[in-house]
Amino acid sequence: MTSATQAPQGATGSAPQPNHEQIEWQRLWFSLRTIPWQVLAVVGIDGASLGSDAAKRLVEVATRDEKTPVELISALGMSFQDTTGVVARLREGVSGLTLVVCDSPAVNPAAIPIVQAVSGVVLVVKLGEARLEAIARAVDVVGRDKVLATITVG
């Protein structure tokens, strides 16, 4: 006697398998979800686009794989006057999960109030290009206890 597993009704075939890069983003997202947080800052060291790209990838994984809506706020290039509204919004509370993309505090000091107002920080560094001093300076400003992950790209 043999048994067969049937596909769920309405299934037309197997789901496409994620590639290695997608799997790495999934691992990061689900690892971050094991830590209690509501708002994360995604900070690109030596390049604003690094943080922006990483945040978009995390939002894609959250939406696709966990069916969790995640708000994405860009605080790139903000002045101190601009950050006041973002910080007030974060402190008043946001509904659901939020990622805030911001400049490295070492590059733009206006990012300091933002990284201080979030639950945690994800640093994004480009392999072979990010200077160790810039990373150390960002960690010092953010606070070692707030750094939840570091992503290396490139």
Side-chain angles (χ1 to χ4, degrees):
M1 181 170 172
T2 62
S3 67
T5 305
Q6 290 185 341
Q9 221 173 12
T12 57
S14 62
Q17 294 300 308
N19 64 36
H20 178 71
E21 185 179 343
Q22 290 169 325
I23 290 170
E24 290 303 315
W25 286 105
Q26 289 171 328
R27 281 188 184 135
L28 174 61
W29 175 255
F30 290 112
S31 292
L32 288 170
R33 294 296 288 134
T34 64
I35 304 164
W37 61 270
Q38 189 170 13
V39 181
L40 288 183
V42 181
V43 179
I45 305 295
D46 292 337
S49 67
L50 294 175
S52 184
D53 293 344
K56 287 176 187 172
R57 296 299 296 270
L58 290 171
V59 168
E60 287 172 12
V61 170
T63 305
R64 180 187 65 235
D65 297 339
E66 198 177 25
K67 308 292 187 258
T68 301
V70 178
E71 182 178 5
L72 182 58
I73 299 172
S74 178
L76 294 171
M78 287 193 168
S79 67
F80 278 110
Q81 294 79 13
D82 296 332
T83 60
T84 311
V86 173
V87 170
R89 182 172 170 203
L90 297 177
R91 290 201 172 130
E92 288 169 4
V94 292
S95 62
L97 301 176
T98 302
L99 297 180
V100 181
V101 182
C102 62
D103 300 307
S104 170
V107 174
N108 182 358
I112 294 171
I114 293 171
V115 297
Q116 290 174 340
V118 299
S119 311
V121 176
V122 174
L123 299 177
V124 186
V125 299
K126 188 153 190 171
L127 199 58
E129 289 186 26
R131 295 180 325 274
L132 203 50
E133 308 84 49
I135 298 167
R137 202 166 45 240
V139 170
D140 287 343
V141 170
V142 167
R144 213 171 277 286
D145 59 321
K146 273 198 173 181
V147 178
L148 303 182
T150 301
I151 302 169
T152 54
V153 295

PDB file of all heavy atoms in Angstrom, residues 56-84:
ATOM      1  N   LYS A  56      14.250  48.231   1.379  1.00  0.00           N
ATOM      2  CA  LYS A  56      13.262  47.778   0.395  1.00  0.00           C
ATOM      3  C   LYS A  56      13.223  46.252   0.330  1.00  0.00           C
ATOM      4  O   LYS A  56      12.156  45.654   0.231  1.00  0.00           O
ATOM      5  CB  LYS A  56      13.569  48.363  -0.981  1.00  0.00           C
ATOM      6  CG  LYS A  56      13.253  49.836  -1.075  1.00  0.00           C
ATOM      7  CD  LYS A  56      13.672  50.401  -2.422  1.00  0.00           C
ATOM      8  CE  LYS A  56      13.516  51.908  -2.438  1.00  0.00           C
ATOM      9  NZ  LYS A  56      14.092  52.507  -3.653  1.00  0.00           N
ATOM     10  N   ARG A  57      14.383  45.616   0.388  1.00  0.00           N
ATOM     11  CA  ARG A  57      14.433  44.154   0.353  1.00  0.00           C
ATOM     12  C   ARG A  57      13.760  43.553   1.588  1.00  0.00           C
ATOM     13  O   ARG A  57      13.035  42.565   1.496  1.00  0.00           O
ATOM     14  CB  ARG A  57      15.885  43.662   0.271  1.00  0.00           C
ATOM     15  CG  ARG A  57      16.614  44.057  -0.993  1.00  0.00           C
ATOM     16  CD  ARG A  57      15.974  43.496  -2.261  1.00  0.00           C
ATOM     17  NE  ARG A  57      15.983  42.069  -2.358  1.00  0.00           N
ATOM     18  CZ  ARG A  57      16.941  41.345  -2.918  1.00  0.00           C
ATOM     19  NH1 ARG A  57      17.985  41.935  -3.448  1.00  0.00           N
ATOM     20  NH2 ARG A  57      16.851  40.036  -2.952  1.00  0.00           N
ATOM     21  N   LEU A  58      13.986  44.161   2.755  1.00  0.00           N
ATOM     22  CA  LEU A  58      13.353  43.664   3.982  1.00  0.00           C
ATOM     23  C   LEU A  58      11.840  43.824   3.926  1.00  0.00           C
ATOM     24  O   LEU A  58      11.095  42.927   4.342  1.00  0.00           O
ATOM     25  CB  LEU A  58      13.940  44.376   5.201  1.00  0.00           C
ATOM     26  CG  LEU A  58      15.382  44.009   5.537  1.00  0.00           C
ATOM     27  CD1 LEU A  58      15.935  44.932   6.614  1.00  0.00           C
ATOM     28  CD2 LEU A  58      15.497  42.552   5.956  1.00  0.00           C
ATOM     29  N   VAL A  59      11.374  44.943   3.394  1.00  0.00           N
ATOM     30  CA  VAL A  59       9.933  45.158   3.257  1.00  0.00           C
ATOM     31  C   VAL A  59       9.338  44.121   2.299  1.00  0.00           C
ATOM     32  O   VAL A  59       8.261  43.578   2.552  1.00  0.00           O
ATOM     33  CB  VAL A  59       9.621  46.598   2.782  1.00  0.00           C
ATOM     34  CG1 VAL A  59       8.167  46.744   2.364  1.00  0.00           C
ATOM     35  CG2 VAL A  59       9.967  47.599   3.877  1.00  0.00           C
ATOM     36  N   GLU A  60      10.038  43.813   1.216  1.00  0.00           N
ATOM     37  CA  GLU A  60       9.566  42.798   0.266  1.00  0.00           C
ATOM     38  C   GLU A  60       9.400  41.444   0.945  1.00  0.00           C
ATOM     39  O   GLU A  60       8.385  40.763   0.759  1.00  0.00           O
ATOM     40  CB  GLU A  60      10.550  42.647  -0.905  1.00  0.00           C
ATOM     41  CG  GLU A  60      10.533  43.778  -1.891  1.00  0.00           C
ATOM     42  CD  GLU A  60      11.668  43.675  -2.911  1.00  0.00           C
ATOM     43  OE1 GLU A  60      12.339  42.614  -2.993  1.00  0.00           O
ATOM     44  OE2 GLU A  60      11.898  44.668  -3.620  1.00  0.00           O
ATOM     45  N   VAL A  61      10.397  41.043   1.725  1.00  0.00           N
ATOM     46  CA  VAL A  61      10.331  39.750   2.420  1.00  0.00           C
ATOM     47  C   VAL A  61       9.180  39.754   3.415  1.00  0.00           C
ATOM     48  O   VAL A  61       8.399  38.796   3.477  1.00  0.00           O
ATOM     49  CB  VAL A  61      11.663  39.420   3.134  1.00  0.00           C
ATOM     50  CG1 VAL A  61      11.511  38.210   4.042  1.00  0.00           C
ATOM     51  CG2 VAL A  61      12.769  39.195   2.126  1.00  0.00           C
ATOM     52  N   ALA A  62       9.050  40.818   4.187  1.00  0.00           N
ATOM     53  CA  ALA A  62       7.984  40.888   5.192  1.00  0.00           C
ATOM     54  C   ALA A  62       6.617  40.781   4.545  1.00  0.00           C
ATOM     55  O   ALA A  62       5.743  40.046   5.015  1.00  0.00           O
ATOM     56  CB  ALA A  62       8.097  42.194   5.971  1.00  0.00           C
ATOM     57  N   THR A  63       6.440  41.487   3.461  1.00  0.00           N
ATOM     58  CA  THR A  63       5.150  41.514   2.782  1.00  0.00           C
ATOM     59  C   THR A  63       4.845  40.187   2.094  1.00  0.00           C
ATOM     60  O   THR A  63       3.753  39.656   2.201  1.00  0.00           O
ATOM     61  CB  THR A  63       5.124  42.656   1.742  1.00  0.00           C
ATOM     62  OG1 THR A  63       5.461  43.879   2.409  1.00  0.00           O
ATOM     63  CG2 THR A  63       3.777  42.795   1.089  1.00  0.00           C
ATOM     64  N   ARG A  64       5.838  39.640   1.417  1.00  0.00           N
ATOM     65  CA  ARG A  64       5.635  38.412   0.643  1.00  0.00           C
ATOM     66  C   ARG A  64       5.568  37.175   1.541  1.00  0.00           C
ATOM     67  O   ARG A  64       4.668  36.355   1.417  1.00  0.00           O
ATOM     68  CB  ARG A  64       6.767  38.254  -0.369  1.00  0.00           C
ATOM     69  CG  ARG A  64       6.649  36.999  -1.242  1.00  0.00           C
ATOM     70  CD  ARG A  64       7.872  36.787  -2.114  1.00  0.00           C
ATOM     71  NE  ARG A  64       9.041  36.520  -1.282  1.00  0.00           N
ATOM     72  CZ  ARG A  64      10.172  37.230  -1.347  1.00  0.00           C
ATOM     73  NH1 ARG A  64      10.305  38.217  -2.197  1.00  0.00           N
ATOM     74  NH2 ARG A  64      11.188  36.939  -0.556  1.00  0.00           N
ATOM     75  N   ASP A  65       6.514  37.029   2.448  1.00  0.00           N
ATOM     76  CA  ASP A  65       6.653  35.779   3.181  1.00  0.00           C
ATOM     77  C   ASP A  65       5.925  35.747   4.518  1.00  0.00           C
ATOM     78  O   ASP A  65       5.540  34.691   4.980  1.00  0.00           O
ATOM     79  CB  ASP A  65       8.129  35.468   3.422  1.00  0.00           C
ATOM     80  CG  ASP A  65       8.883  35.265   2.120  1.00  0.00           C
ATOM     81  OD1 ASP A  65       8.238  34.973   1.101  1.00  0.00           O
ATOM     82  OD2 ASP A  65      10.112  35.398   2.118  1.00  0.00           O
ATOM     83  N   GLU A  66       5.758  36.887   5.121  1.00  0.00           N
ATOM     84  CA  GLU A  66       5.117  36.890   6.431  1.00  0.00           C
ATOM     85  C   GLU A  66       3.752  37.572   6.378  1.00  0.00           C
ATOM     86  O   GLU A  66       3.032  37.592   7.365  1.00  0.00           O
ATOM     87  CB  GLU A  66       6.032  37.594   7.453  1.00  0.00           C
ATOM     88  CG  GLU A  66       5.660  37.277   8.859  1.00  0.00           C
ATOM     89  CD  GLU A  66       6.599  37.897   9.882  1.00  0.00           C
ATOM     90  OE1 GLU A  66       7.241  38.915   9.604  1.00  0.00           O
ATOM     91  OE2 GLU A  66       6.654  37.341  10.978  1.00  0.00           O
ATOM     92  N   LYS A  67       3.437  38.134   5.227  1.00  0.00           N
ATOM     93  CA  LYS A  67       2.167  38.854   5.044  1.00  0.00           C
ATOM     94  C   LYS A  67       2.016  39.954   6.092  1.00  0.00           C
ATOM     95  O   LYS A  67       0.936  40.240   6.574  1.00  0.00           O
ATOM     96  CB  LYS A  67       0.970  37.895   5.114  1.00  0.00           C
ATOM     97  CG  LYS A  67       1.056  36.701   4.200  1.00  0.00           C
ATOM     98  CD  LYS A  67       0.967  37.087   2.743  1.00  0.00           C
ATOM     99  CE  LYS A  67       0.873  35.885   1.835  1.00  0.00           C
ATOM    100  NZ  LYS A  67       2.089  35.529   1.154  1.00  0.00           N
ATOM    101  N   THR A  68       3.149  40.551   6.444  1.00  0.00           N
ATOM    102  CA  THR A  68       3.172  41.609   7.440  1.00  0.00           C
ATOM    103  C   THR A  68       3.400  42.946   6.747  1.00  0.00           C
ATOM    104  O   THR A  68       4.426  43.132   6.099  1.00  0.00           O
ATOM    105  CB  THR A  68       4.325  41.381   8.455  1.00  0.00           C
ATOM    106  OG1 THR A  68       4.140  40.123   9.079  1.00  0.00           O
ATOM    107  CG2 THR A  68       4.365  42.469   9.498  1.00  0.00           C
ATOM    108  N   PRO A  69       2.459  43.862   6.878  1.00  0.00           N
ATOM    109  CA  PRO A  69       2.696  45.178   6.284  1.00  0.00           C
ATOM    110  C   PRO A  69       3.755  45.932   7.087  1.00  0.00           C
ATOM    111  O   PRO A  69       3.729  45.940   8.317  1.00  0.00           O
ATOM    112  CB  PRO A  69       1.335  45.872   6.367  1.00  0.00           C
ATOM    113  CG  PRO A  69       0.585  45.143   7.426  1.00  0.00           C
ATOM    114  CD  PRO A  69       1.166  43.761   7.522  1.00  0.00           C
ATOM    115  N   VAL A  70       4.687  46.508   6.383  1.00  0.00           N
ATOM    116  CA  VAL A  70       5.758  47.277   7.016  1.00  0.00           C
ATOM    117  C   VAL A  70       5.809  48.636   6.342  1.00  0.00           C
ATOM    118  O   VAL A  70       5.912  48.724   5.119  1.00  0.00           O
ATOM    119  CB  VAL A  70       7.126  46.572   6.874  1.00  0.00           C
ATOM    120  CG1 VAL A  70       8.227  47.403   7.497  1.00  0.00           C
ATOM    121  CG2 VAL A  70       7.088  45.190   7.503  1.00  0.00           C
ATOM    122  N   GLU A  71       5.723  49.671   7.142  1.00  0.00           N
ATOM    123  CA  GLU A  71       5.815  51.030   6.599  1.00  0.00           C
ATOM    124  C   GLU A  71       7.289  51.373   6.400  1.00  0.00           C
ATOM    125  O   GLU A  71       8.127  51.055   7.241  1.00  0.00           O
ATOM    126  CB  GLU A  71       5.169  52.030   7.552  1.00  0.00           C
ATOM    127  CG  GLU A  71       5.186  53.442   7.018  1.00  0.00           C
ATOM    128  CD  GLU A  71       4.507  54.444   7.940  1.00  0.00           C
ATOM    129  OE1 GLU A  71       4.092  54.080   9.057  1.00  0.00           O
ATOM    130  OE2 GLU A  71       4.418  55.608   7.535  1.00  0.00           O
ATOM    131  N   LEU A  72       7.585  52.038   5.307  1.00  0.00           N
ATOM    132  CA  LEU A  72       8.949  52.455   5.008  1.00  0.00           C
ATOM    133  C   LEU A  72       8.985  53.978   4.966  1.00  0.00           C
ATOM    134  O   LEU A  72       8.260  54.601   4.199  1.00  0.00           O
ATOM    135  CB  LEU A  72       9.398  51.868   3.668  1.00  0.00           C
ATOM    136  CG  LEU A  72      10.824  52.166   3.214  1.00  0.00           C
ATOM    137  CD1 LEU A  72      11.841  51.681   4.238  1.00  0.00           C
ATOM    138  CD2 LEU A  72      11.075  51.512   1.869  1.00  0.00           C
ATOM    139  N   ILE A  73       9.811  54.554   5.833  1.00  0.00           N
ATOM    140  CA  ILE A  73       9.964  56.010   5.894  1.00  0.00           C
ATOM    141  C   ILE A  73      11.381  56.358   5.471  1.00  0.00           C
ATOM    142  O   ILE A  73      12.337  55.780   5.976  1.00  0.00           O
ATOM    143  CB  ILE A  73       9.713  56.539   7.332  1.00  0.00           C
ATOM    144  CG1 ILE A  73       8.292  56.225   7.782  1.00  0.00           C
ATOM    145  CG2 ILE A  73      10.011  58.031   7.423  1.00  0.00           C
ATOM    146  CD1 ILE A  73       8.030  56.538   9.242  1.00  0.00           C
ATOM    147  N   SER A  74      11.512  57.313   4.579  1.00  0.00           N
ATOM    148  CA  SER A  74      12.846  57.775   4.186  1.00  0.00           C
ATOM    149  C   SER A  74      13.180  59.059   4.931  1.00  0.00           C
ATOM    150  O   SER A  74      12.443  60.044   4.860  1.00  0.00           O
ATOM    151  CB  SER A  74      12.916  58.034   2.681  1.00  0.00           C
ATOM    152  OG  SER A  74      14.213  58.524   2.361  1.00  0.00           O
ATOM    153  N   ALA A  75      14.285  59.020   5.656  1.00  0.00           N
ATOM    154  CA  ALA A  75      14.786  60.201   6.349  1.00  0.00           C
ATOM    155  C   ALA A  75      16.158  60.570   5.787  1.00  0.00           C
ATOM    156  O   ALA A  75      16.965  61.204   6.462  1.00  0.00           O
ATOM    157  CB  ALA A  75      14.859  59.940   7.847  1.00  0.00           C
ATOM    158  N   LEU A  76      16.409  60.163   4.558  1.00  0.00           N
ATOM    159  CA  LEU A  76      17.705  60.431   3.925  1.00  0.00           C
ATOM    160  C   LEU A  76      17.863  61.921   3.624  1.00  0.00           C
ATOM    161  O   LEU A  76      16.939  62.555   3.123  1.00  0.00           O
ATOM    162  CB  LEU A  76      17.837  59.625   2.628  1.00  0.00           C
ATOM    163  CG  LEU A  76      17.895  58.117   2.800  1.00  0.00           C
ATOM    164  CD1 LEU A  76      17.797  57.422   1.451  1.00  0.00           C
ATOM    165  CD2 LEU A  76      19.170  57.711   3.522  1.00  0.00           C
ATOM    166  N   GLY A  77      19.020  62.451   3.943  1.00  0.00           N
ATOM    167  CA  GLY A  77      19.337  63.840   3.620  1.00  0.00           C
ATOM    168  C   GLY A  77      18.588  64.869   4.431  1.00  0.00           C
ATOM    169  O   GLY A  77      18.587  66.041   4.082  1.00  0.00           O
ATOM    170  N   MET A  78      17.946  64.474   5.492  1.00  0.00           N
ATOM    171  CA  MET A  78      17.160  65.421   6.284  1.00  0.00           C
ATOM    172  C   MET A  78      18.038  66.353   7.093  1.00  0.00           C
ATOM    173  O   MET A  78      19.123  65.983   7.526  1.00  0.00           O
ATOM    174  CB  MET A  78      16.214  64.684   7.225  1.00  0.00           C
ATOM    175  CG  MET A  78      15.059  64.046   6.534  1.00  0.00           C
ATOM    176  SD  MET A  78      13.808  63.546   7.746  1.00  0.00           S
ATOM    177  CE  MET A  78      12.467  63.190   6.647  1.00  0.00           C
ATOM    178  N   SER A  79      17.520  67.552   7.309  1.00  0.00           N
ATOM    179  CA  SER A  79      18.173  68.513   8.197  1.00  0.00           C
ATOM    180  C   SER A  79      17.600  68.322   9.599  1.00  0.00           C
ATOM    181  O   SER A  79      16.626  67.590   9.781  1.00  0.00           O
ATOM    182  CB  SER A  79      17.898  69.940   7.719  1.00  0.00           C
ATOM    183  OG  SER A  79      16.519  70.234   7.883  1.00  0.00           O
ATOM    184  N   PHE A  80      18.174  69.008  10.582  1.00  0.00           N
ATOM    185  CA  PHE A  80      17.656  68.907  11.940  1.00  0.00           C
ATOM    186  C   PHE A  80      16.193  69.346  11.996  1.00  0.00           C
ATOM    187  O   PHE A  80      15.386  68.754  12.703  1.00  0.00           O
ATOM    188  CB  PHE A  80      18.495  69.737  12.919  1.00  0.00           C
ATOM    189  CG  PHE A  80      19.727  69.026  13.380  1.00  0.00           C
ATOM    190  CD1 PHE A  80      20.974  69.446  12.966  1.00  0.00           C
ATOM    191  CD2 PHE A  80      19.641  67.927  14.225  1.00  0.00           C
ATOM    192  CE1 PHE A  80      22.123  68.783  13.383  1.00  0.00           C
ATOM    193  CE2 PHE A  80      20.776  67.258  14.650  1.00  0.00           C
ATOM    194  CZ  PHE A  80      22.013  67.686  14.229  1.00  0.00           C
ATOM    195  N   GLN A  81      15.839  70.385  11.249  1.00  0.00           N
ATOM    196  CA  GLN A  81      14.456  70.853  11.238  1.00  0.00           C
ATOM    197  C   GLN A  81      13.521  69.774  10.685  1.00  0.00           C
ATOM    198  O   GLN A  81      12.415  69.593  11.183  1.00  0.00           O
ATOM    199  CB  GLN A  81      14.313  72.132  10.399  1.00  0.00           C
ATOM    200  CG  GLN A  81      15.022  73.339  10.972  1.00  0.00           C
ATOM    201  CD  GLN A  81      16.526  73.339  10.694  1.00  0.00           C
ATOM    202  OE1 GLN A  81      17.042  72.575   9.889  1.00  0.00           O
ATOM    203  NE2 GLN A  81      17.244  74.209  11.393  1.00  0.00           N
ATOM    204  N   ASP A  82      13.972  69.060   9.666  1.00  0.00           N
ATOM    205  CA  ASP A  82      13.143  68.011   9.063  1.00  0.00           C
ATOM    206  C   ASP A  82      12.958  66.821   9.998  1.00  0.00           C
ATOM    207  O   ASP A  82      11.888  66.207  10.024  1.00  0.00           O
ATOM    208  CB  ASP A  82      13.778  67.498   7.764  1.00  0.00           C
ATOM    209  CG  ASP A  82      13.874  68.557   6.684  1.00  0.00           C
ATOM    210  OD1 ASP A  82      13.047  69.487   6.675  1.00  0.00           O
ATOM    211  OD2 ASP A  82      14.801  68.456   5.850  1.00  0.00           O
ATOM    212  N   THR A  83      13.994  66.490  10.740  1.00  0.00           N
ATOM    213  CA  THR A  83      13.927  65.285  11.581  1.00  0.00           C
ATOM    214  C   THR A  83      12.968  65.447  12.757  1.00  0.00           C
ATOM    215  O   THR A  83      12.475  64.449  13.273  1.00  0.00           O
ATOM    216  CB  THR A  83      15.314  64.887  12.125  1.00  0.00           C
ATOM    217  OG1 THR A  83      15.835  65.943  12.914  1.00  0.00           O
ATOM    218  CG2 THR A  83      16.257  64.531  11.008  1.00  0.00           C
ATOM    219  N   THR A  84      12.685  66.666  13.146  1.00  0.00           N
ATOM    220  CA  THR A  84      11.803  66.897  14.286  1.00  0.00           C
ATOM    221  C   THR A  84      10.451  66.219  14.093  1.00  0.00           C
ATOM    222  O   THR A  84       9.941  65.558  14.996  1.00  0.00           O
ATOM    223  CB  THR A  84      11.592  68.405  14.518  1.00  0.00           C
ATOM    224  OG1 THR A  84      12.857  69.049  14.511  1.00  0.00           O
ATOM    225  CG2 THR A  84      10.923  68.679  15.839  1.00  0.00           C
TER     226      THR A  84
END
